[in-house]
Amino acid sequence: MTKKRSICLFILFTIILVISLVACFVNFTYPLTINSNYFTYSNFISNLRLGQDISNSLRITYRTQSPEDGNYNQLLNSTIDDLTQILQSAGYTDVTISTYGEDAIVMNVANLLSKENSDDIINLVGNPASISFSLTTNPDEAIITRQDIDTVEATDYYDTTVGEHLYYVSIKFKDSKKDYIAEQTKNGGNIYIFFGNEQFTTMDMGTTGIENGYIYINSDLFTSKQVATNYANRIKTGMLPLELTKLDSAIITPTYGVGANLFLLIAMCVLLLVGFVYLIVKYNHFGLLACFNLLFYVVFGLFFLQSIPLVNINFAGIVAMALAFIIAMETLNTIIKSAKAHYNNEAKLPVAFKLSYKENLFNVLMSNILFALVGLICLFMPVLSVKSFGWVMFVLSLLNMFTSLVLMRLFTKMYLGINSQDGKKLNFHKGGKNA
Amino acid sequence: MLKRDFSKSGVEYLSKNKIAIILLAAILLIGTILSIVVGMPTNFELAPHSEFSISINEEQRKNIQTYANSVKSILDSYEAKYDSYSIYDEGDNTKLVIRYLSPLSDSNQERVNNAVVEQLKVDASAVSGHVTVGKIARDMDYVYTIVAILLMVLIASIFAFARYNGASAMAIIIASLVSSWLYLSIFAILRLKIGMSIFALMIILNALIIYSSLMLFERMKNTNWLFNSNFDSAISDANKYNFKRNTFIAIALAVVGLVFILFVPSPLKLVSLNIIYLAVVMLFATLYVVPFVWSMCITHCKPRKAKPTKE
């Protein structure tokens, strides 16, 4: 690579890096826009979904009603599982539900970005009364109760005649009831759906119909899969195995105190700074290059962590970030050390780096695949903190392979276009002590 | 000061440092006995606990630590094992929530309430009585984490067996088991309560031990140790390389722990301290346990045939 081309590429990458860092850390209103509410850019950091240990959460306390028959503990566990699943499919990944006293449960939902989030959750699961279907407006004359419903799903299909996706909610009834419902609704008419005594919606059976024990609800309001999923989730709240009564709800501050996320951000910045100082002091120009590469690693890492919907960052996730950063630093350290050893053995700089990358290819791949595997195993664990650790480890290990083997190699080539002779600028010395 | 002589193999080194072996065995033994007889101390994440809450005002919030300590001393006098406190903001009210592990009887609870009202001069209605709360983590949560660790070790040892030899696989398994138990033993001996964060840190510990071991074996493979009958020189060379790498990782981890201790809020400081402890255990396991087990097992392994060298 020629010197001129190298300099041009460095300038280009620096511009990209500066723009990426702005995207990472700065919120701004798009220029030349009038309504700032709709045209505000929100940075990667604020888009990260945080766990309840470091962000505000909504706490709802419910009283459970013991069933006359059936195993209370078993039903309680199923209710907790169902509530968790409903909230997770609504996009709230950090949900903790624990038993409270003899007949109560406490649910904590973290990462409340706004007041609307808590209102949405309260609308969804705030008053989970039992669902029932009636042919009249009187809920006491219900022909279907929650025990008669098997599953509720939100699905979509591509309508070729209209040329667009249509979304609907399917309710499957248990075998014992499907013929009965078909019989009851064969002449059309309305079915009224109730939550407790409150009417939720009405379905015209003339247009809706029952097919193989399924009712398909289609509405113009279902403009996306998420809207249909929210509707299905609302119905699922009426099918919880135990009846729940809301005792109270409140927005509570993070478990680790107000400002925990700010403190952790400062801690991570200090860690980055310490790492950068170490690399620059030890390897001079190449230390700078490694820092340049690590900044790209940080930017890409934050981008992916905020883009993947299931990633939830709690304290374990932050520790995983710190660990991943150490591994990334260690990877670069190993590559530079190995190049230094070859240079000491009288190899020229380009040859030394070529040999070093070749030599360390397997090590870098193996170690990062190992950490990605560790992350993958953690993903299947039901514990939220372990899952958070797993996601961060998995994403950042895969990313480290790319940045250290592809990006760093490119930066090395660019640097060698500018300086391919003087090892002293990298703190390399011919015939010096081997690494 | 304990100095590592890299010209000696693990067996040779440890046989000359019997005190280190005896000390390690004693730690593991005491930890094992305590955890079996008395049980591992667990925090509110893993054990049913009670909650005791008091509404406090802004002024009291400024002196929250003193306030929490006063409640702690009251709880201590009723033999309730104090665990932690946290502050919840609920709109205009701020609640100080004290968690403790031994649920009090109802009569004692009333006395505690009266003592709090009397000593802290709060409105009687601001104190709400205790309620027994279930575990925050589910019964199987920590079991799943242990399964994750075992799975990780198993995959790594199979890989090590396939690529290197049985001694390498054995070294990974033993080092993981010993270091995990050593890590937990200290908690058993010092009666420090463990929560889910300790299990999460154990995943990191094992991942680092596996990583470091594989790097060590890869180095030995690259220096043709497999075709060399002089295992001692092979491991001493690899150990030099291992020492630099592991010290780097351990120091970096310790820096992470220190930085966290300096900047994170007080409930996280203990976890940050655990990260430094993790660095020490990791260094011990990778510098001593892995080479030691490998040196012991290698004599029972069949040497592999050398690959034809490329022209």
Side-chain angles (χ1 to χ4, degrees):
Chain A
M1 203 176 280
T2 63
K3 190 173 180 177
K4 198 176 167 187
R5 193 179 153 85
S6 294
I7 292 171
C8 287
L9 278 174
F10 264 124
I11 292 170
L12 180 72
F13 274 103
T14 310
I15 293 168
I16 294 172
L17 182 63
V18 171
I19 294 171
S20 310
L21 286 171
V22 169
C24 254
F25 297 104
V26 184
N27 283 328
F28 57 88
T29 308
Y30 293 118
L32 306 173
T33 52
I34 303 162
N35 190 338
S36 60
N37 287 334
Y38 293 105
F39 298 100
T40 303
Y41 171 79
S42 149
N43 64 46
F44 297 167
I45 296 267
S46 53
N47 281 345
L48 286 172
R49 282 158 294 275
L50 301 177
Q52 57 189 264
D53 49 357
I54 49 176
S55 76
N56 282 346
S57 63
L58 173 72
R59 190 187 63 195
I60 303 181
T61 311
Y62 298 100
R63 172 159 291 140
T64 57
Q65 217 162 54
S66 297
E68 287 166 9
D69 54 343
N71 184 337
Y72 175 72
N73 285 335
Q74 196 182 341
L75 291 175
L76 185 70
N77 280 335
S78 307
T79 306
I80 290 173
D81 287 343
D82 289 357
L83 262 178
T84 309
Q85 191 267 327
I86 288 169
L87 284 160
Q88 283 182 343
S89 66
Y92 299 98
T93 46
D94 190 353
V95 182
T96 310
I97 305 175
S98 53
T99 54
Y100 197 77
E102 286 177 359
D103 61 348
I105 55 172
V106 176
M107 180 177 78
N108 277 298
V109 188
N111 200 40
L112 301 178
L113 298 174
S114 64
K115 175 81 172 60
E116 283 76 39
N117 280 162
S118 63
D119 291 345
D120 286 348
I121 296 168
I122 289 174
N123 285 338
L124 181 64
V125 292
N127 293 297
S130 282
I131 195 167
S132 61
F133 292 60
S134 172
L135 294 171
T136 67
T137 52
N138 183 0
D140 294 334
E141 294 174 5
I143 55 164
I144 297 287
T145 58
R146 64 189 163 103
Q147 286 93 348
D148 301 323
I149 303 171
D150 194 2
T151 55
V152 180
E153 300 291 338
T155 38
D156 64 323
Y157 72 96
Y158 186 74
D159 191 335
T160 47
T161 54
V162 195
E164 60 183 39
H165 278 276
L166 293 178
Y167 305 96
Y168 57 90
V169 172
S170 65
I171 303 175
K172 187 188 176 195
F173 296 103
K174 286 187 178 157
D175 288 346
S176 56
K177 280 283 178 178
K178 68 180 185 188
D179 294 335
Y180 171 71
I181 299 162
E183 181 63 27
Q184 291 285 322
T185 56
K186 67 180 178 189
N187 297 324
N190 286 338
I191 278 195
Y192 300 90
I193 302 180
F194 293 88
F195 281 111
N197 289 325
E198 200 178 312
Q199 191 177 324
F200 173 58
T201 189
T202 312
M203 287 187 298
D204 180 358
M205 295 313 290
T207 53
T208 309
I210 287 189
E211 206 179 311
N212 296 329
Y214 282 91
I215 283 185
Y216 296 99
I217 305 172
N218 190 354
S219 166
D220 292 340
L221 296 174
F222 296 166
T223 49
S224 67
K225 181 81 182 282
Q226 190 56 49
V227 177
T229 305
N230 291 346
Y231 194 89
N233 281 337
R234 182 74 184 97
I235 294 175
K236 282 180 191 171
T237 61
M239 296 162 53
L240 295 172
L242 281 181
E243 290 221 25
L244 303 176
T245 315
K246 189 180 85 178
L247 292 179
D248 75 335
S249 65
I251 293 176
I252 59 170
T253 48
T255 319
Y256 291 140
V258 181
N261 45 6
L262 179 70
F263 286 123
L264 286 170
L265 185 67
I266 295 172
M268 289 304 285
C269 288
V270 171
L271 182 67
L272 284 185
L273 205 68
V274 171
F276 288 172
V277 169
Y278 167 80
L279 286 170
I280 293 168
V281 169
K282 189 146 192 202
Y283 299 115
N284 203 350
H285 279 197
F286 223 79
L288 277 171
L289 207 63
C291 295
F292 194 62
N293 176 66
L294 283 173
L295 280 175
F296 271 100
Y297 173 72
V298 170
V299 169
F300 284 141
L302 286 172
F303 170 73
F304 284 115
L305 292 177
Q306 58 98 38
S307 328
I308 302 170
L310 294 170
V311 179
N312 185 66
I313 309 288
N314 51 30
F315 184 63
I318 304 272
V319 173
M321 279 186 196
L323 182 66
F325 179 73
I326 293 173
I327 296 162
M329 250 179 75
E330 161 62 14
T331 308
L332 295 176
N333 200 25
T334 310
I335 291 171
I336 305 172
K337 265 187 183 173
S338 177
K340 191 177 180 179
H342 286 296
Y343 184 81
N344 291 349
N345 291 335
E346 306 301 321
K348 286 183 176 172
L349 265 184
V351 179
F353 275 105
K354 196 177 175 183
L355 287 172
S356 165
Y357 278 110
K358 198 176 167 189
E359 217 173 70
N360 287 295
L361 178 69
F362 181 80
N363 284 357
V364 175
L365 284 177
M366 184 177 74
S367 56
N368 283 291
I369 288 172
L370 167 79
F371 282 109
L373 259 177
V374 169
L376 205 60
I377 292 170
C378 293
L379 286 186
F380 293 102
M381 298 298 119
V383 193
L384 272 173
S385 56
V386 179
K387 258 189 207 292
S388 172
F389 176 85
W391 268 115
V392 175
M393 213 62 236
F394 180 68
V395 171
L396 295 186
S397 300
L398 294 183
L399 188 64
N400 188 30
M401 280 193 270
F402 169 74
T403 51
S404 56
L405 292 177
V406 180
L407 211 57
M408 189 61 190
R409 202 166 182 162
L410 176 69
F411 293 154
T412 310
K413 273 186 184 170
M414 282 155 53
Y415 178 79
L416 292 173
I418 298 168
N419 170 31
S420 58
Q421 304 281 328
D422 192 358
K424 283 178 189 166
K425 286 181 179 172
L426 314 177
N427 287 350
F428 287 9
H429 303 284
K430 287 264 184 208
K433 199 183 160 194
N434 276 5
Chain B
M1 200 176 152
L2 207 62
K3 276 189 180 173
R4 181 77 165 95
D5 181 357
F6 291 106
S7 62
K8 292 182 172 63
S9 71
V11 175
E12 233 184 312
Y13 175 75
L14 283 176
S15 63
K16 286 185 180 170
N17 285 277
K18 290 192 181 84
I19 295 170
I21 300 172
I22 292 166
L23 198 67
L24 176 66
I27 290 172
L28 292 177
L29 193 68
I30 295 168
T32 309
I33 291 169
L34 270 175
S35 59
I36 290 170
V37 177
V38 193
M40 286 296 281
T42 51
N43 73 8
F44 60 89
E45 285 176 315
L46 295 169
H49 59 283
S50 289
E51 271 188 16
F52 181 91
S53 61
I54 309 162
S55 294
I56 54 171
N57 58 33
E58 275 304 309
E59 196 55 41
Q60 287 163 327
R61 189 179 173 155
K62 283 178 193 161
N63 304 313
I64 195 71
Q65 187 62 56
T66 328
Y67 205 64
N69 284 342
S70 307
V71 179
K72 177 182 179 297
S73 63
I74 296 168
L75 284 171
D76 283 347
S77 64
Y78 286 92
E79 293 179 351
K81 287 176 197 163
Y82 169 85
D83 194 76
S84 71
Y85 74 91
S86 46
I87 311 157
Y88 291 160
D89 275 341
E90 293 183 355
D92 295 334
N93 295 322
T94 299
K95 267 190 178 173
L96 169 69
V97 178
I98 310 276
R99 295 193 174 105
Y100 55 94
L101 289 169
S102 309
L104 297 166
S105 66
D106 286 347
S107 55
N108 265 351
Q109 183 58 45
E110 198 157 341
R111 279 184 224 148
V112 172
N113 282 2
N114 292 337
V116 170
V117 171
E118 197 179 311
Q119 286 197 20
L120 305 174
K121 295 182 176 57
V122 288
D123 182 2
S125 63
V127 182
S128 62
H130 87 302
V131 58
T132 309
V133 182
K135 300 166 192 177
I136 288 180
R138 304 275 199 96
D139 284 344
M140 293 299 284
D141 278 1
Y142 74 95
V143 179
Y144 284 130
T145 315
I146 292 170
V147 170
I149 294 171
L150 291 178
L151 207 59
M152 208 164 77
V153 174
L154 188 71
I155 293 171
S157 55
I158 291 171
F159 175 80
F161 180 73
R163 186 166 171 84
Y164 311 111
N165 53 21
S168 311
M170 196 51 88
I172 288 177
I173 293 170
I174 303 278
S176 288
L177 290 177
V178 168
S179 56
S180 299
W181 196 233
L182 178 66
Y183 192 66
L184 284 178
S185 287
I186 296 292
F187 289 93
I189 291 166
L190 299 178
R191 309 305 294 156
L192 294 172
K193 297 184 191 79
I194 59 164
M196 285 312 293
S197 62
I198 299 301
F199 287 99
L201 286 175
M202 270 172 64
I203 296 180
I204 301 179
L205 173 69
N206 281 284
L208 286 173
I209 289 169
I210 292 169
Y211 165 72
S212 171
S213 309
L214 291 180
M215 289 292 123
L216 174 80
F217 301 137
E218 188 62 24
R219 170 79 177 192
M220 289 201 276
K221 188 173 185 292
N222 288 342
T223 49
N224 267 350
W225 64 274
L226 284 170
F227 324 121
N228 190 345
S229 57
N230 188 359
F231 294 123
D232 279 357
S233 68
I235 199 160
S236 69
D237 161 69
N239 253 341
K240 269 183 199 167
Y241 175 75
N242 203 25
F243 179 78
K244 280 182 186 172
R245 176 191 292 279
N246 296 333
T247 314
F248 176 83
I249 294 174
I251 290 173
L253 268 177
V255 170
V256 171
L258 275 175
V259 169
F260 278 10
I261 285 176
L262 288 176
F263 291 98
V264 297
S266 51
L268 288 176
K269 288 197 193 297
L270 196 64
V271 183
S272 310
L273 199 64
N274 282 338
I275 296 176
I276 299 176
Y277 171 47
L278 181 146
V280 176
V281 175
M282 177 237 146
L283 204 59
F284 170 77
T286 49
L287 288 186
Y288 296 101
V289 183
V290 174
F292 175 65
V293 177
W294 185 86
S295 309
M296 280 208 311
C297 298
I298 193 66
T299 46
H300 303 290
C301 284
K302 282 181 190 171
R304 293 192 177 181
K305 282 180 187 172
K307 282 181 187 171
T309 47
K310 286 177 187 170
E311 285 302 320

